[in-house]
Amino acid sequence: MKNALILSGGGARAAYQVGVLKAVAEILPAGTCNPFPIICGTSAGAINAVTLAAHEGCFSDAVDELEGIWRDLSPASVYRYGWREVLRGLFRVIGSLGNQGVGLSRPIALLDNSPLRDLIDRKVHFERIDRAIGRGDIDAVSITAMGYTSGQSVAFFQGRPELQGWRRHRRIGRPVLLNTDHLMASSAIPTLFPTTRIEHEYFGDGALRQLSPISPALHLGADRVFIIGVSGNRAPKPRSARTRHSPSIAQIVGHMLNSAFVDTLEGDIEHLERINELVRLIPDEVRDAEGIRLKPVDNLIIWPSEEVDKIAGRKVRYLPRSLRAFLRSTGATTSGGGAMAASYLLFAQPFIDEMINLGYRDTMWESETIASFFSTS
């Protein structure tokens, strides 16, 4: 049985994944090797995925390294936020309107995320991935990006030589040697960060048009999936439909981002569970006699037990002043209902610390279930 780890996107929300993985490392026996032969990530989750896959050592050491990266993060580690840079990005977007919406010298975006590229170059050791595959530590690592010309969701994967690419409707798998460009493309949140050119096409955030986030893991041979979500929908509470004003710009943008980063994963999980129910209704002898290759895919899902938007609303004040002013003007505050948009950019330690701690706490609550999941692999 092969376990796959699926790490969704969500900008700074992906700090939650670190807390979950930290707890998993403590629940597993000391010195455990990587329990996930297949690791799949999208957006910020892609950076987490490749960092884990490229580590040489036991699983707990890999998680410690990942946590160290996140604990050292700040907005300056990810994007430039000075008044000049923020205004320059805004004027660049406005100026593109005179050129049919196309950037004059480089892809348009509100923020310059070149510091993120520098961070990836320093911290992620891509050359170790092949060595990990050769040792049998991993079978494959996959990250997803969206092609703006083709409109396809592309799972770029590096894995064992016998693993083949695939082609489905609007989604393909492509074997490559992963590098910084793939991570920059997968984490290019639309309008906020610039697209990245890979070969002959520009790519953006992998959550866009990712209709089946679980699919790459299954194509790469996973029998079971361990999924870490970043939305606070584990036990959603009904909200009152009453409101005092129309939605702010940030609230609208936040829901658009959530539809990409959150809704598709939740929908794919629901689809997987329904398929599992149907497959279990078919007796094993019938499946064997008819040559039916479908089989149930065991899964374990960890979601935040608290609403991430509310956490973000409390932490917006820790963002740089220039960015706070811009976000406030669009309604990205608690009162404006748009804190969900701000959460994607909240690479400030108070928010990161709370998300890591929340992920750790949520996972330890499920320690018996998690221990049982891995004991039967």
Side-chain angles (χ1 to χ4, degrees), residues 80 122 177 212 217 261 298 358:
R80 302 188 188 281
R122 293 195 316 270
L177 291 177
S212 301
F261 289 99
D298 292 336
L358 178 62

Side-chain angles (χ1 to χ4, degrees), residues 42-316:
T42 302
S43 192
I47 299 176
N48 289 345
V50 173
T51 302
L52 289 174
H55 182 82
E56 295 180 327
C58 67
F59 180 65
S60 60
D61 289 341
V63 175
D64 286 345
E65 179 183 8
L66 182 61
E67 182 182 8
I69 293 174
W70 277 91
R71 295 289 189 185
D72 288 338
L73 273 186
S74 67
S77 307
V78 181
Y79 49 80
R80 302 188 188 281
Y81 57 77
W83 287 100
R84 179 180 300 178
E85 286 80 7
V86 172
L87 291 174
R88 184 180 296 162
L90 185 59
F91 288 137
R92 187 179 296 117
V93 173
I94 295 173
S96 70
L97 300 179
N99 190 43
Q100 299 181 336
V102 178
L104 296 176
S105 57
R106 56 180 178 174
I108 57 172
L110 289 171
L111 296 173
D112 175 4
N113 65 343
S114 55
L116 177 61
R117 177 178 286 274
D118 295 337
L119 178 69
I120 292 172
D121 287 339
R122 293 195 316 270
K123 298 293 186 178
V124 181
H125 304 283
F126 293 94
E127 71 281 359
R128 297 178 181 174
I129 296 177
D130 261 347
R131 297 205 293 266
I133 294 171
R135 291 192 304 269
D137 292 346
I138 61 171
D139 285 357
V141 55
S142 168
I143 65 175
T144 301
M146 195 277 289
Y148 274 95
T149 300
S150 65
Q152 290 181 322
S153 176
V154 181
F156 296 101
F157 70 90
Q158 186 170 344
R160 292 184 290 104
E162 61 268 27
L163 291 174
Q164 300 294 315
W166 62 87
R167 182 176 294 275
R168 297 292 185 270
H169 179 66
R170 292 292 183 185
R171 49 192 172 91
I172 64 175
R174 184 185 301 174
V176 297
L177 291 177
L178 295 172
N179 59 41
T180 301
D181 284 342
H182 296 104
L183 292 186
M184 292 298 292
S186 183
S187 58
I189 299 175
T191 72
L192 296 178
F193 298 147
T195 58
T196 299
R197 183 163 184 160
I198 300 176
E199 297 177 356
H200 306 296
E201 188 173 7
Y202 281 95
F203 287 84
D205 200 292
L208 299 176
R209 308 202 75 167
Q210 190 180 28
L211 303 178
S212 301
I214 302 173
S215 174
L218 303 182
H219 280 292
L220 294 170
D223 301 297
R224 297 141 51 90
V225 291
F226 186 90
I227 303 168
I228 307 177
V230 294
S231 73
N233 292 343
R234 186 167 74 169
K237 298 178 181 178
R239 297 184 179 182
S240 171
R242 297 178 62 184
T243 183
R244 294 176 298 173
H245 53 72
S246 62
S248 65
I249 294 174
Q251 189 173 6
I252 294 172
V253 171
H255 280 292
M256 291 173 62
L257 292 176
N258 277 1
S259 70
F261 289 99
V262 175
D263 296 351
T264 52
L265 177 61
E266 293 176 349
D268 205 25
I269 291 171
E270 182 179 359
H271 179 70
L272 174 65
E273 291 173 345
R274 288 184 177 180
I275 293 295
N276 280 344
E277 291 175 2
L278 290 173
V279 172
R280 290 190 180 104
L281 293 175
I282 306 174
D284 292 342
E285 57 272 17
V286 174
R287 286 209 302 266
D288 294 338
E290 298 296 331
I292 299 174
R293 295 185 297 172
L294 293 176
K295 58 183 179 180
V297 177
D298 292 336
N299 60 86
L300 183 58
I301 306 151
I302 303 293
W303 300 100
S305 58
E306 300 180 18
E307 292 189 49
V308 177
D309 301 344
K310 289 185 177 180
I311 298 175
R314 298 195 301 266
K315 307 298 182 181
V316 168

Side-chain angles (χ1 to χ4, degrees), residues 6-18:
I6 298 178
L7 302 173
S8 59
R13 293 170 174 235
Y16 179 82
Q17 299 167 357
V18 180

